């Protein structure tokens, strides 16, 4: 009875008696079983017993670890030709996956895998111990060899009999890439046994990399993960085929089941667990702080291969290096189509329920898409070159809208917004948004007819007015995105125009403006949006102009904002009566789209992981000015000279129009920002004056001065109350020569910084922690990178 045999050996193992490393009969019991699964191993080896051995009988734990690694090394050496050898390899794999987190959680043990064990893993002690490898390296190299092991994880290329079986050391693993796609044209026959074996090996790899979860978050980016560093170095001879295999397996996956709806109900899908595991391993290997290095993007003077062979002056991490050097159009097309297909999968679900298998790894895909755009500028430009970018935008807006009320999905909200911020720094994104929006994904937003820009504005308005409190730090980012695209928006719908004015109305109430030191930035952003549209896109935007005229009192109130102490106090009193962050009233929401469900809060008790704070918008972005010919030049040369703490000088200037004499007010700003950090901040008349005088109201005031009398005259002359006549008049009106000289267009482009690199690390590992529940690899271990919380 094997199972009982196992538990018996586990009991002996826990006993305090050290067992000799040479006692093979004893150690072999651990991996000789034929019928186990990873779930069985987790059940047979409880957490308490692993910890007991670690404390009471450390030599047994050490022996078990290096014996298990030794078995993997032997399997990799021999090529696993027999069923028995494969079973031993898989069992060692499962056992190490079970034990590693308990090694990582104890600081005294953490270095264990990086020490050399005399004679271990190197075929006996007769060799010089000089060239003994650390256990971690032997483990990683064995796993990578096993991932390209004919008849175990890849299709054999020979009509195999044991004597002619391929020698695992002489095969060129580039011929065994798992899936067609980037740099590989041949799609191997699907083999579910190979998929299952790959999945188990990748699970072990992910567990090795998870040492990162047991270190507290630090802004020190030199803090590289030794496991990932070695795995992605030239020591790994399979780095290129493995990177390509992981990327292609993810991007080629079609959960619909070869294009036939409902097909997934007929046969079990063995690919999905492999795709999930591949996506998770891939994003962890790409955890790299690009702000500390020269950018990994190299110029594309490459040969016809998918990636160049010459070593570019890129990062040492080969995975980041390969990712940054993909450059063929057909490769970009394959990646973009794959990511868009998978991100859209939950949306397809909403109008053909159950027709396709619903994937759960959209957060990993968003991290992967972020890495692609951040590390490979050519890919970013390719994405924006055609309206294919909208196939990424619509799912992101869907996720943002769907998660807005759910506390456990704050991380998803952030990454969606970060991606849109990155895209919005490029002119092409704004231009693409003018494409009419016709796909009718059921979303809990008002029905409208218009473009993708309207969709974006309506969803952002919904997030700001009906999301939960924890989203407030994102408001700056949401409005920055709208500012960045605004100069290119040809024609906003009436619904979107009203939403923008409703936001201005909400953000310019005195209690909101006076209640926090940075709240007025939001008003500056919105005024900048209106100015950009009026100056650069007046002709097609009669809806917005009409909305501005209707709500003209909001602009007059801003211009006449009281600055005396008494009024400031009175404004703050009003806040106490209305705690609601933003009034839901007077935003004529109308009917939501058919078939949509309202965004729901998290179920009580849902687990979530904590996140580190994200940098403020002034650290996240850098300002660039768009010249006449459309090129951009950076406006912040002084941001590159970092202040002693290594952060760019903080400026409260964000949202103020850029002006030549910006530098002399920088001192005042610094004074203001230091005042806020002391905790007790109160608004003063001087403070209100300091920014009120800079409100960019000239263009709008001039527009109102010219148009309001004309519109009033029409109404009186024709006895009109009908909007359509006024809109018709505004459509044909012109303000040429009447407005102030157009201001230069300012774009705030995302810039890499160590703050976001750390945020991505905690977010990514939090997602991986919560998604690996069967078996629960890290549950109930002492992770330090984040806290696990219940909603």
């Amino acid at each position: 009875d094997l199972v009982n045999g196992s538990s018996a050996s586990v009991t002996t193992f826990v006993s305090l008696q050290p067992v000799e490393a040479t006692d093979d009969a004893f150690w072999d019991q651990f991996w000789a079983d034929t019928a186990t699964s990873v779930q069985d191993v987790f059940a047979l080896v409880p957490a308490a017993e692993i910890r007991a051995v670690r404390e009471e009988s450390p030599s047994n734990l050490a022996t078990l670890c290096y014996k298990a690694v030794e078995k993997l090394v032997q399997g990799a050496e021999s090529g696993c030709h027999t069923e028995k050898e494969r079973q031993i390899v898989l069992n060692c794999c499962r056992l190490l996956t079970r034990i590693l987190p308990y090694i990582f959680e104890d600081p005294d043990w953490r270095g264990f895998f990086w020490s050399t064990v005399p004679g271990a893993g190197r075929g006996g002690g007769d060799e010089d111990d000089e060239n003994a490898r650390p256990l971690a390296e032997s483990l990683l190299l064995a796993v990578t060899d096993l991932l390209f092991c004919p008849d175990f994880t890849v299709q054999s290329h020979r009509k195999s009999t044991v004597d002619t079986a391929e020698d695992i050391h002489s095969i060129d693993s580039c011929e065994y890439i798992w899936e067609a796609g980037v740099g590989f044209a041949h799609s191997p026959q699907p083999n579910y046994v190979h998929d299952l074996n790959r999945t188990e090996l990748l699970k072990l790899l992910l567990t090795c990399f998870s040492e990162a979860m047991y270190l507290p978050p630090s802004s020190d980016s030199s803090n590289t993960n030794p496991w990932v560093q070695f795995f992605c170095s030239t020591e790994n001879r399979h780095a290129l085929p493995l990177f390509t295999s992981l990327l292609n397996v993810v991007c080629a996956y079609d959960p619909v089941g070869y294009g036939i709806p409902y097909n997934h109900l007929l046969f079990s899908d063995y690919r999905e667990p492999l795709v999930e595991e591949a996506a998770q391993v891939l994003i962890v290997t790409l955890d790299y702080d690009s702000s500390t290095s020269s950018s990994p993007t190299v110029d594309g003077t490459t040969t016809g291969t998918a990636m160049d062979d010459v070593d570019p002056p890129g990062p040492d991490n080969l995975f980041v290096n390969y990712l940054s050097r993909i450059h063929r159009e057909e490769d970009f097309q394959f990646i973009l189509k794959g990511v868009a297909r998978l991100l859209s999968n939950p949306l397809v679900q909403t109008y053909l329920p159950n027709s396709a298998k619903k994937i759960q790894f959209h957060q990993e895909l968003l991290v992967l898409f972020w890495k692609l755009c951040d590390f490979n500028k050519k890919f970013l430009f390719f994405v924006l070159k055609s309206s294919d970018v909208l196939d990424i935008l619509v799912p992101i807006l869907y996720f943002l809208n769907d998660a807005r009320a759910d506390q456990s999905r704050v991380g998803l909200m952030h990454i969606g917004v970060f991606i849109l911020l990155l895209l919005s720094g490029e002119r092409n994104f704004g231009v693409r948004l003018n494409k009419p929006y016709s796909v009718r994904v059921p979303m809990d937003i008002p029905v409208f007819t218009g473009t993708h820009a309207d969709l974006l504005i309506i969803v952002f308005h919904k997030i700001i007015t009906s999301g939960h409190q924890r989203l407030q730090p994102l408001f700056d980012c949401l409005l920055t995105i709208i500012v960045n695209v605004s100069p290119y928006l040809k024609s906003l719908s009436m619904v979107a125009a009203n939403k923008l004015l409703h936001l201005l109305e909400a953000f310019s109430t005195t209690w909101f403006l006076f209640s926090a030191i940075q709240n007025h930035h939001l008003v500056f952003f919105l005024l900048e949006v209106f100015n950009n549209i009026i100056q650069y896109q007046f002709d097609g935007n009669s809806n917005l102009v009409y909305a501005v005229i209707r709500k003209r009192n909001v602009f007059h109130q801003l211009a006449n904002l009281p600055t005396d102490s008494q009024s400031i106090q009175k404004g703050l009193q009003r806040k106490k009566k209305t705690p609601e962050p933003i009034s839901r009233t007077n935003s004529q929401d109308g009917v939501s789209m058919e078939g949509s469900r309202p965004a729901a809060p998290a179920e009580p008790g849902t687990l979530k992981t904590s996140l580190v704070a994200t940098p403020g918008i002034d650290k996240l972005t850098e300002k660039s000015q768009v010249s006449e010919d459309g090129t951009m030049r950076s406006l912040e040369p002084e941001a590159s000279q970092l202040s002693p703490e290594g952060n760019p000088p903080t400026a409260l200037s964000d949202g103020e129009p850029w002006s030549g004499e910006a530098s002399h007010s920088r001192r005042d700003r610094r004074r203001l920002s230091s005042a806020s950090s002391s905790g007790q901040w109160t608004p003063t008349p001087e403070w209100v004056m300091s920014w009120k005088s800079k409100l960019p109201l000239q263009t709008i005031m001039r527009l109102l001065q010219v148009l309001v009398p004309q519109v009033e005259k029409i109404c009186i002359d024709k006895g009109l109350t009908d909007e359509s006549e006024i809109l018709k008049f505004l459509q044909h009106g012109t303000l040429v020569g009447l407005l102030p000289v157009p201001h230069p267009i300012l774009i705030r482009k995302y810039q890499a910084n160590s703050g976001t690199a750390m945020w991505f690390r905690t977010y990514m590992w939090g997602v991986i922690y919560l998604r690996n529940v069967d078996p629960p690899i890290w549950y109930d271990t002492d992770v330090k990178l984040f806290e696990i919380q219940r909603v």
Side-chain angles (χ1 to χ4, degrees), residues 182 326-336 378-379 381-383 385:
V182 176
I326 299 172
H327 63 275
R328 293 194 304 196
E329 295 258 313
E330 59 269 37
D331 291 340
F332 287 158
Q333 188 61 34
F334 164 74
I335 295 171
L336 181 57
K378 284 204 159 80
F379 176 75
F381 299 143
F382 177 84
V383 168
K385 207 172 68 177

Side-chain angles (χ1 to χ4, degrees), residues 452-746:
H452 285 76
D454 295 307
L455 176 68
L456 179 135
I457 288 169
I458 292 166
V459 168
F460 283 12
H461 172 270
K462 198 85 173 172
I463 293 167
I464 292 171
T465 56
S466 65
H468 55 79
Q469 287 286 189
R470 303 267 309 279
L471 299 179
Q472 264 187 331
L474 281 176
F475 290 2
D476 274 350
C477 269
L478 293 168
L479 293 188
T480 298
I481 294 165
I482 300 179
V483 174
N484 282 349
V485 301
S486 59
Y488 311 109
L489 304 183
K490 292 198 177 349
S491 167
L492 287 183
S493 69
M494 192 59 94
V495 177
N498 285 335
K499 297 297 176 206
L500 286 175
L501 279 140
H502 175 241
L503 288 179
L504 182 69
E505 216 172 346
F507 290 148
S508 57
T509 59
T510 47
W511 74 256
F512 185 77
L513 285 174
F514 297 157
S515 60
I517 194 163
Q518 73 292 347
N519 282 356
H520 63 278
H521 292 181
L522 300 173
V523 170
F524 276 87
F525 284 137
L526 285 163
L527 291 175
E528 206 176 329
V529 171
F530 297 136
N531 288 339
N532 282 342
I533 294 179
I534 291 166
Q535 287 281 18
Y536 292 99
Q537 298 288 350
F538 179 82
D539 285 354
N541 273 300
S542 51
N543 288 330
L544 183 74
V545 174
Y546 178 62
V548 167
I549 291 175
R550 273 191 41 222
K551 292 282 185 187
R552 56 191 178 277
N553 62 321
V554 180
F555 299 98
H556 291 303
Q557 278 164 8
L558 267 175
N560 301 316
L561 191 72
T563 55
D564 58 290
S565 306
Q566 209 180 350
S567 306
I568 293 176
Q569 283 317 309
K570 214 160 108 189
L572 288 172
Q573 291 310 309
R574 221 170 289 166
K575 177 182 188 179
K576 298 198 173 71
K577 295 181 206 132
T578 51
E580 191 63 20
I582 287 174
S583 72
R584 305 262 189 346
T585 53
N586 64 25
S587 156
Q588 310 82 2
D589 245 10
V591 191
S592 272
M593 294 175 69
E594 199 180 331
S596 66
R597 291 190 312 275
E603 291 285 322
T606 306
L607 286 179
K608 68 188 182 76
T609 53
S610 62
L611 292 162
V612 292
T614 50
I617 194 76
D618 51 341
K619 296 213 177 62
L620 265 182
T621 56
E622 103 182 320
K623 291 188 191 150
S624 303
Q625 190 174 316
V626 181
S627 322
E628 299 283 307
D629 58 358
T631 55
M632 290 194 196
R633 65 184 183 84
S634 171
L635 287 183
E636 296 185 36
E638 70 274 12
S640 55
Q641 282 111 46
L642 297 182
S643 58
E645 307 85 90
N647 294 327
T650 44
L652 276 180
S653 66
D654 227 34
E656 297 170 11
W658 180 78
S659 62
E661 72 279 74
S663 51
H664 76 135
S665 60
R666 198 162 254 119
R667 275 193 312 280
D668 320 340
R669 275 189 232 124
R670 229 177 250 145
R671 208 176 59 241
L672 291 173
S673 56
S674 60
S676 68
S677 56
S678 65
Q680 283 314 182
W681 171 82
T682 47
T684 62
E686 297 73 38
W687 171 76
V688 178
M689 284 301 291
S690 72
W691 55 260
K692 179 189 168 180
S693 59
K694 299 197 187 84
L695 284 167
L697 286 164
Q698 307 77 338
T699 301
I700 294 171
M701 288 311 189
R702 185 79 187 112
L703 171 136
L704 292 173
Q705 199 186 345
V706 174
L707 292 179
V708 169
Q710 299 183 355
V711 169
E712 283 177 341
K713 186 172 181 321
I714 297 179
C715 294
I716 292 163
D717 289 358
K718 304 198 173 170
L720 273 187
T721 46
D722 180 21
E723 287 189 358
S724 58
E725 286 292 329
I726 301 169
L727 284 168
K728 203 174 291 169
F729 162 71
L730 292 174
Q731 267 158 14
H732 299 108
T734 173
L735 291 175
V736 175
L738 297 172
L739 290 177
V741 178
H743 54 284
I745 295 175
L746 267 193

Side-chain angles (χ1 to χ4, degrees), residues 340 343-345 347 389-400:
L343 285 178
S344 309
N345 161 273
L347 286 60
V389 64
L390 302 175
D391 298 336
I392 301 286
L393 170 75
V394 172
I396 289 179
L397 291 175
Y398 173 86
F399 293 131
L400 290 179

